[in-house]
């Protein structure tokens, strides 16, 4: 008698996923259920997804500041705020899907907030290392780690979005820079400065993604030209079989893994190793995954071209 309400609740939460395959374990069993409850609460308050994004960004920026102190109790307060920021980062997207208010502008604001959170974290960790007696070279190390982080996160998001592009109808919008560029050129700085700034940031973001995955970009353009968004089942299945197993590795380069590594290093009082994690193991995984995904894209490109030749 009690299973039906539980199943209904699970299905309502699942309806706010992008797709179950691209969700991590921590997201599925903690952040998504918690985010859904928060989304329902914010919907009753009539808060917009952008307001929730900004609230999460403030929590994350403050968390970064609390990592500056060598007091573990203060660091733990920062960890709790960091978890809150992550929960709100989930809730804003779920609120947008729940209230049917998804938009490109919302995605851009969400991306900007995420970057500000990690700028705060990197800056305060670097200052902590400086005042603990580290060499000025720590700034170079932190900057290199931050650039690596930005590229890894952008590319992981791109491959996840591309997986949705090929396997889910709802994921076939807002991926390439061409549409963003044309919209950016239509708007003027005088009339819509805020919207144009957001589009400029998003355009730069999509260009970085495409630069790191040229074969995948070419594949998507070919598929769009051939099938006009109506990707046939055999092609969907082929991409799912080839790229699906890679998702669990891409998830290691997303926020949750970094957060857990950072928490562990703060608990043992060695936050400087966080930069080395970015530069060595994460970058090695990053390079390997790009190589594998570009090989898959090249293989899929050959299949698509053969189909075009036979059609």
């Amino acid at each position: 008698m009690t299973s039906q309400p539980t199943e209904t609740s699970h299905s309502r939460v699942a309806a706010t996923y992008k797709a179950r395959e691209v969700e991590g374990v921590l997201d599925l069993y903690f952040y998504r259920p918690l985010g859904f409850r928060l989304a329902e609460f914010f919907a009753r308050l009539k808060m917009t997804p952008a307001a929730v994004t900004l609230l999460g960004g403030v929590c994350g920026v403050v968390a970064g500041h609390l990592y500056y102190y060598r007091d573990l109790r203060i660091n733990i307060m920062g960890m709790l705020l960091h978890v809150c920021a992550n929960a709100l980062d989930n809730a804003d997207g779920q609120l947008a899907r729940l209230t049917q208010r998804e938009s490109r502008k919302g995605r851009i604001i969400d991306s900007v907030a995420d970057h500000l959170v990690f700028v705060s974290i990197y800056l305060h960790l670097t200052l902590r290392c400086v005042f603990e007696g580290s060499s000025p070279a720590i700034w170079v190390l932190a900057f290199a780690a931050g650039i690596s982080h930005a590229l890894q996160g952008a590319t992981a998001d791109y491959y996840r979005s591309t997986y949705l592009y090929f396997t889910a109808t709802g994921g076939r919008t807002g991926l390439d820079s061409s549409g963003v560029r044309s919209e950016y050129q239509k708007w003027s700085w005088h009339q819509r400065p805020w919207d144009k700034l957001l589009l400029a940031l998003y355009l730069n973001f999509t260009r970085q993604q495409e630069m790191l995955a040229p074969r995948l970009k070419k594949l998507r353009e070919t598929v769009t030209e051939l099938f006009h968004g109506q990707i046939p089942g055999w092609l969907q299945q082929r991409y799912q079989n080839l790229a699906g197993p890679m998702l669990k590795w891409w998830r290691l380069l997303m926020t949750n893994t970094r957060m857990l590594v950072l928490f562990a290093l703060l608990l043992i009082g060695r936050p400087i190793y966080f930069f080395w994690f970015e530069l060595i193991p994460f970058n090695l995984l990053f390079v390997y995954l790009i190589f594998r995904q570009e090989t898959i894209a090249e293989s899929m490109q050959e299949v698509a071209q053969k189909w075009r030749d036979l059609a």
Side-chain angles (χ1 to χ4, degrees):
M1 295 293 290
T2 59
S3 62
Q4 187 174 352
T6 301
E7 290 175 2
T8 302
S9 177
H10 287 327
S11 64
R12 292 179 65 206
V13 176
T16 63
Y17 296 166
K18 293 181 178 178
R20 190 177 182 87
E21 308 97 287
V22 302
E23 305 285 355
V25 174
L26 196 56
D27 291 318
L28 285 173
Y29 296 104
F30 178 68
Y31 282 119
R32 289 307 189 192
L34 176 59
F36 181 73
R37 298 303 177 195
L38 289 171
E40 288 186 315
F41 173 71
F42 292 133
R44 288 194 294 271
L45 294 180
K46 301 188 182 305
M47 284 183 66
T48 64
V52 177
T53 298
L54 293 175
L55 180 61
V58 170
C59 289
V61 168
V62 174
H65 172 71
L66 295 180
Y67 295 153
Y68 165 78
Y69 301 98
R70 298 181 64 182
D71 189 325
L72 182 58
R73 293 168 298 181
I74 297 177
N75 293 164
I76 290 174
M77 290 173 59
M79 295 178 205
L80 293 174
L81 274 177
H82 200 161
V83 171
C84 288
N86 239 18
L88 291 167
D89 189 41
N90 279 263
D92 60 6
Q94 289 175 288
L95 177 62
R97 289 184 282 277
L98 191 66
T99 57
Q100 299 182 337
R101 300 174 72 173
E102 288 183 277
S103 67
R104 176 187 290 162
K105 186 175 181 179
R107 292 193 297 271
I108 299 171
I109 294 173
D110 185 61
S111 177
V112 170
D114 289 343
H115 279 78
L116 289 176
V117 169
F118 273 96
V119 165
S120 174
I121 291 170
Y122 277 75
L123 176 62
H124 287 98
L125 288 179
T126 305
L127 290 172
R128 173 174 172 163
C129 292
V130 168
F131 285 104
E132 287 179 349
S134 294
S135 157
I138 189 66
W139 290 100
V140 177
L141 177 67
F143 181 75
I147 294 297
S148 297
H149 175 165
L151 295 176
Q152 292 162 14
T155 310
D157 179 73
Y158 187 60
Y159 279 112
R160 186 174 68 166
S161 298
T162 301
Y163 181 86
L164 294 175
Y165 172 86
F166 278 99
T167 62
T169 303
R172 292 181 195 150
T173 58
L175 267 175
D176 57 84
S177 62
S178 56
V180 181
R181 189 185 305 111
S182 61
E183 189 173 350
Y184 172 78
Q185 292 170 347
K186 290 178 184 176
W187 294 357
S188 72
W189 285 104
H190 177 69
Q191 294 175 331
R192 304 178 71 172
W194 172 243
D195 290 332
K196 194 167 178 72
L197 174 61
L198 290 178
L199 271 181
L201 294 172
Y202 192 60
L203 180 59
N204 180 63
F205 182 69
T206 55
R207 282 173 171 168
Q208 286 179 357
Q209 292 177 320
E210 292 170 351
M211 179 186 67
L212 290 165
R215 291 177 183 172
L216 187 60
K217 178 178 183 293
K218 183 179 179 182
L219 170 64
R220 203 177 60 246
E221 289 171 347
T222 300
V223 169
T224 301
E225 177 188 345
L226 290 175
F227 304 110
H228 308 289
Q230 302 298 319
I231 300 176
W234 63 266
L235 189 60
Q236 289 185 25
Q237 191 61 51
R238 185 178 181 88
Y239 190 86
Q240 189 171 19
N241 292 340
L242 291 173
M246 306 295 293
L247 289 173
K248 62 179 180 293
W249 300 110
W250 280 114
R251 282 196 291 267
L252 293 178
L253 296 178
M254 302 297 280
T255 300
N256 290 340
T257 305
R258 285 189 176 86
M259 185 182 69
L260 293 174
V261 169
L262 176 59
F263 287 3
L265 294 173
L266 285 166
L267 288 172
I268 65 174
R270 294 291 184 273
I272 191 173
Y273 293 156
F274 181 69
F275 301 142
W276 291 111
F277 263 91
E278 283 288 357
L279 287 173
I280 301 177
F282 285 173
N283 268 341
L284 288 174
L285 178 61
F286 178 53
V287 170
Y288 168 73
L289 288 176
I290 286 182
F291 172 77
R292 288 286 295 118
Q293 291 280 177
E294 287 290 274
T295 301
I296 290 171
E298 187 175 30
S299 171
M300 292 286 293
Q301 178 74 19
E302 292 174 0
V303 172
Q305 286 176 338
K306 286 180 181 178
W307 185 93
R308 176 169 54 188
D309 294 340
L310 293 172

